[in-house]
Amino acid sequence: MTTLKSKLKEDLHTAMKARDELTSSTLRLTLTAITKEEVSGTSARELSDDEVQKVIAREAKKRREAAEAFAQGGRTEQAERERAEGALLDGYLPQQLSDDELNAIVASAVEEAKAAGAEGPRAMGAVMKIVNPKVAGLAEGGRVATAVKKLLAG
């Protein structure tokens, strides 16, 4: 069993003993998503820590999107719960890049793409190919795309 998955299980047991309903339900859903990912496909397999991190990131993103939807629908109590679940899951993910750090990485990638002959808005794909491996797991795709578009536009 991977170390991240075993940590999730240990934290689930601790939360259950402490009768922490929010933490235990969030971790149960996350572990279920991990198990579902492990058994999908042609044969069951054990996920690596990186793959487990991707599942956790996907679950955290779902919580943020649900919180936005609930807030827009006027269901503030449910939105707060979704935000709390998302924050709990963020604790299992690596620290996200700050805007300044992300912009620095994107700026160097834009320069690299220009050196290769790609310029203007059409260079988006080339720049994203350079940036994505560098920021994998450290910044959400939407944030990265926005930063790239902003630097390519002006």
Side-chain angles (χ1 to χ4, degrees):
M1 185 180 311
T2 62
T3 56
L4 187 55
K5 185 177 174 184
S6 60
K7 176 160 176 40
L8 287 169
K9 286 187 175 188
E10 288 171 18
D11 290 351
L12 172 62
H13 290 293
T14 304
M16 288 168 51
K17 287 179 182 175
R19 298 189 187 276
D20 182 351
E21 192 274 330
L22 176 76
T23 304
S24 59
S25 68
T26 303
L27 293 179
R28 272 193 191 110
L29 287 170
T30 305
L31 284 166
T32 301
I34 291 168
T35 303
K36 185 177 177 183
E37 189 79 16
E38 287 177 334
V39 298
S40 67
T42 55
S43 64
R45 63 188 177 89
E46 181 94 17
L47 295 181
S48 68
D49 269 352
D50 287 341
E51 292 170 317
V52 170
Q53 247 179 15
K54 287 178 184 174
V55 173
I56 294 171
R58 189 171 56 231
E59 291 296 310
K61 184 178 179 188
K62 284 181 190 177
R63 300 308 188 291
R64 285 191 294 277
E65 290 171 351
E68 269 183 43
F70 281 127
Q72 288 175 354
R75 297 184 60 190
T76 55
E77 196 172 298
Q78 190 64 31
E80 285 302 316
R81 179 175 173 90
E82 293 291 335
R83 280 191 198 96
E85 288 180 4
L88 185 108
L89 291 175
D90 285 341
Y92 293 97
L93 297 171
Q95 183 67 37
Q96 296 289 297
L97 292 173
S98 70
D99 288 338
D100 293 337
E101 293 169 322
L102 179 61
N103 287 333
I105 292 170
V106 170
S108 70
V110 167
E111 292 303 316
E112 196 176 322
K114 280 184 182 176
E119 284 195 45
R122 291 188 179 148
M124 178 86 178
V127 174
M128 290 298 284
K129 281 181 187 175
I130 297 167
V131 172
N132 277 337
K134 294 178 183 177
V135 300
L138 301 174
E140 249 181 45
R143 270 184 69 207
V144 175
T146 302
V148 170
K149 284 179 188 173
K150 191 168 85 175
L151 276 175
L152 287 175

